[in-house]
Amino acid sequence: MRLEEAAKILDLSVDERDVKIIKKRFRDLSLKHHPDKNLDNPEEAHTKFLKVSEAYDCMMRKVEADSESEAYSDDSESEVYSDDSES
């Protein structure tokens, strides 16, 4: 799933990186589309529920990748600017 599609399903910005907001939106939509809550059309609810779950996974992978990238950048800069020489 592409990030743009995931953001659209969760009704979030593609640039959203706040984990609490993403989790809250996921919880709200997963409850709304849960098959046990939609007994009149459980097959359609199941399909929507799976899409919401997949969108959540996609957004969270992006957040995780961004945070790992930032951590790597921070580590690299500290190594470049640190003075570990023994005097």
Side-chain angles (χ1 to χ4, degrees), residues 15-31:
D15 300 324
E16 184 62 65
R17 297 296 177 261
D18 188 333
V19 174
K20 288 182 182 181
I21 291 173
I22 297 170
K23 283 184 179 182
K24 177 158 179 23
R25 192 67 187 137
F26 167 71
R27 277 190 226 110
D28 292 346
L29 289 172
S30 62
L31 286 174

Side-chain angles (χ1 to χ4, degrees), residues 1-61:
M1 175 178 287
R2 292 181 30 221
L3 185 61
E4 294 81 11
E5 184 181 357
K8 184 177 180 181
I9 290 170
L10 295 176
D11 194 26
L12 296 170
S13 165
V14 176
D15 300 324
E16 184 62 65
R17 297 296 177 261
D18 188 333
V19 174
K20 288 182 182 181
I21 291 173
I22 297 170
K23 283 184 179 182
K24 177 158 179 23
R25 192 67 187 137
F26 167 71
R27 277 190 226 110
D28 292 346
L29 289 172
S30 62
L31 286 174
K32 177 180 179 182
H33 296 297
H34 196 282
D36 291 344
K37 300 276 185 177
N38 293 283
L39 299 176
D40 55 326
N41 197 349
E43 291 172 7
E44 182 180 343
H46 179 74
T47 301
K48 288 181 180 180
F49 182 79
L50 291 177
K51 284 283 188 187
V52 168
S53 296
E54 186 179 351
Y56 171 75
D57 288 340
C58 181
M59 293 290 288
M60 293 305 289
R61 281 193 310 270

